[in-house]
Amino acid sequence: MSTPPPVPNAQPVPDMVELWSLRADTLVELPDTDEGTLVLATRWGEVLLPAATPVLCSALERMSYGPVALRNLVPAAGTEEAHREHALLDRTLEKLHNVTVRSLSADGSRPLLSVVPLASDAHFHPTRPQADSVLRLSSYAVVRSDTKDLFVESPLCKQRVVLHRFESASLLCALAHPATAAQLAARLGLPRNVVYAVLGHLEGAGVIVRGDVSRGDVAFAEDHDPALASWSPVDLMMHARSRLGRDDRLVGATGEQPRESAATVPAASAHEPIALPHPELDEILRKDPPLTVALEARRSVRSYGARPVTLAQLAEFLYRSARVRTMAAVGSEDPGSSRPYPSIGHSYALELYLLVSNCEDLAPGAYHYDPVGHALRPLDTEPALAGELVGQARETGGLCADPPVLVVMTARFHRVMGRFGGLAYSGLLKDVGVLQQTLYLVCTAMGLAPCALAIGDSDLAARALGLDWSTESSIGEFVLGTLPTEESGMPSNGTGWQERCRRVLELWSAHTRQHGDLRPTAH
């Protein structure tokens, strides 16, 4: 029988080799004696391996240096001792699933990819795709790069995939649209065993998903999962990466000191700062309602009275809610300040800018609030841009008129980024929430009309306020004015709160008689 002619340009079929290593942050502490206790220090705590043989100790030490084939870690098979060592290594690696990195290589060359565990309960098992398996990149997967590799992550997965070579990266990119394993091999001109092995690792890590073709059309489970229906990929990634449990980045205070950038200074202005009057705290305490009354009376108000907010009211509002009460001593380990609202690590990265349309004794325009000097610094903002911001606030908040005062909250990111690994931005959003609640309660106690806005335009705010978007950007908005007469549950300046308190207690009593608990009706 004649030998068939060779296929032109046929690629050699490489042997696929699986390589094993330990996470870079895992430290192997060898025992002092044979059959002693081997200790692995991991990011999730210490792992004790008693009665570790010299072969096992040598194998784990070698894995801490980088990827290696298991066949190179234990004696060659065929003897009883080799069998025992192989079994011991297999059992040990099963215990170390959360620190074991699995890599895939063709013919022992540089790995195609690596699968890195991210959580203490991460388990990885590569799958075995068939030629007709329809696969697709997960809708929740995110691809990013560093100087030499591509990283693929998903909030649905507890592994990160690192793509080291063009072959694996091209396979991932080709999966932007559903395709079978056989189609991918033919389209990319890669050996089938390479394609199937890479796909099996990508699917096992969860960054690609397999479709169901049993009903004719291809259906992917994640597209019809009711638990995922309300999540956008961005929101789910933000949630997963700002909490413990599904990520391996450092979380918490890093010890790095805040850095202030010249770009975060408000736009230069030739105007002198406007000193604001300091309210008398004794007078505030005398006329303020109890906390419970302020909480129960708190609501968003979207229409305003005929009288404008006065400069004295605006000054009291800012003083009570956002001023710097005390500063840390020079050279202190804690460089932060103290203000009426809490902030992550005393960072106080939020700044307040005011777009004033109607305030007695204060000219319309844009101002930056100086919380240390309790003063307003006028900004040279173009009236058209200021008007656009105010108009957008009116539309966003469903207001009946332009807000008399729009408060734009910005974040000076240098004060918090780097100091708090993994939770810096989520911490800033929490700061916005607690500041908005503080503004609400102060407004309510003062008899003003408050309303927090759900969203704003960061680019527009940066142009209007003269800021560098990437250094200081708006992340929250709040509007206030005077209460319309018919809406006033607590007259201006907080007087008459006793009547409001009586109404709150009446509501509670009526609801308790009806329902047997203290769940007040909405009002």
Side-chain angles (χ1 to χ4, degrees), residues 372-395:
V372 177
H374 187 52
L376 293 177
R377 299 181 181 276
L379 304 179
D380 291 326
T381 297
E382 294 182 18
L385 291 175
E388 195 172 345
L389 270 177
V390 170
Q392 185 184 81
R394 175 178 180 173
E395 181 179 351

Side-chain angles (χ1 to χ4, degrees), residues 429-475:
L429 297 182
K430 294 179 178 76
D431 281 5
V432 170
V434 297
L435 178 54
Q436 286 182 335
Q437 174 72 337
T438 302
L439 299 181
Y440 261 117
L441 293 178
V442 171
C443 276
T444 303
M446 293 178 61
L448 297 175
C451 184
L453 303 184
I455 196 170
D457 188 328
S458 295
D459 276 4
L460 176 59
R463 293 197 303 272
L465 302 173
L467 304 174
D468 173 16
W469 179 91
S470 62
T471 307
E472 180 176 356
S473 185
S474 64
I475 58 174

Side-chain angles (χ1 to χ4, degrees), residues 35 94 135 147 149 195 219 247 271 308-309 359 368 385-386 473 476:
E35 302 290 330
E94 182 60 28
L135 300 160
T147 56
D149 295 317
V195 171
D247 190 29
H271 306 287
V309 175
C359 179
H368 171 252
L385 291 175
S473 185

Side-chain angles (χ1 to χ4, degrees), residues 50-369:
T53 66
V55 172
L56 178 62
C57 292
S58 175
L60 293 179
E61 183 182 24
R62 173 62 186 83
M63 287 174 59
S64 70
Y65 300 147
V68 60
L70 292 185
R71 63 177 180 238
N72 297 328
L73 295 177
V74 294
T79 66
E80 184 69 24
E81 179 185 0
H83 177 74
R84 287 197 302 270
E85 293 291 356
H86 274 281
L88 177 60
L89 181 59
D90 287 343
R91 292 195 302 271
T92 301
L93 292 178
E94 182 60 28
K95 295 178 182 178
L96 302 178
H97 53 82
N98 57 358
V99 295
T100 303
V101 179
R102 306 276 289 274
S103 302
L104 185 67
S105 175
D107 282 338
S109 58
R110 181 177 179 236
L112 291 157
L113 58 78
S114 298
V115 180
V116 183
L118 302 180
S120 61
D121 59 344
H123 284 269
F124 170 73
H125 298 286
T127 64
R128 295 179 178 273
Q130 303 301 313
D132 58 351
S133 298
V134 180
L135 300 160
R136 186 197 73 186
L137 183 66
S138 170
S139 299
Y140 293 85
V142 174
V143 182
R144 60 182 178 86
S145 68
D146 67 359
T147 56
K148 60 180 181 179
D149 295 317
L150 285 179
F151 295 82
V152 192
E153 298 175 312
S154 167
L156 301 178
C157 309
K158 296 189 177 182
Q159 293 87 17
R160 175 186 300 117
V161 179
V162 185
L163 305 176
H164 302 292
R165 288 172 48 181
F166 170 79
E167 295 89 339
S168 52
S170 62
L171 262 171
L172 185 83
C173 294
L175 287 167
H177 302 286
T180 65
Q183 288 171 339
L184 291 169
R187 186 183 305 165
L188 299 176
L190 297 173
R192 284 198 172 195
N193 67 326
V194 172
V195 171
Y196 291 1
V198 170
L199 294 178
H201 278 64
L202 293 175
E203 185 182 16
V207 297
I208 67 174
V209 291
R210 188 179 303 203
D212 180 5
V213 295
S214 60
R215 300 180 181 179
D217 295 333
V218 182
F220 294 91
E222 69 176 16
D223 296 340
H224 307 285
D225 186 344
L228 299 176
S230 59
W231 282 107
S232 73
V234 173
D235 287 341
L236 191 57
M237 180 64 82
M238 171 69 179
H239 171 65
R241 293 300 181 259
S242 61
R243 306 289 296 173
L244 297 173
R246 307 188 74 88
D247 190 29
D248 65 342
R249 294 175 181 85
L250 293 176
V251 174
T254 63
E256 182 178 333
Q257 294 300 311
R259 303 185 306 272
E260 193 66 74
S261 167
T264 63
V265 176
S269 171
H271 306 287
E272 289 294 322
I274 301 170
L276 297 175
H278 288 63
E280 295 292 337
L281 291 182
D282 287 343
E283 180 65 14
I284 290 175
L285 289 172
R286 185 187 65 80
K287 68 183 183 183
D288 252 7
L291 175 62
T292 299
V293 175
L295 283 168
E296 291 301 316
R298 186 222 57 81
R299 65 197 185 282
S300 295
V301 181
R302 294 176 172 81
S303 57
Y304 308 104
R307 292 187 308 103
V309 175
T310 67
L311 181 61
Q313 287 176 317
L314 186 60
E316 180 182 334
F317 165 75
L318 294 170
Y319 186 87
R320 296 178 63 176
S321 58
R323 81 186 189 281
V324 171
R325 296 186 296 199
T326 59
M327 293 287 291
V330 176
S332 169
E333 293 184 0
D334 181 3
S337 61
S338 171
R339 308 189 193 190
Y341 64 95
S343 174
I344 177 174
H346 299 114
S347 60
Y348 289 104
L350 301 183
E351 295 288 325
L352 300 186
Y353 293 83
L354 280 63
L355 280 299
V356 177
S357 300
N358 187 15
C359 179
E360 189 176 287
D361 301 323
L362 185 62
Y367 301 86
H368 171 252
Y369 177 59

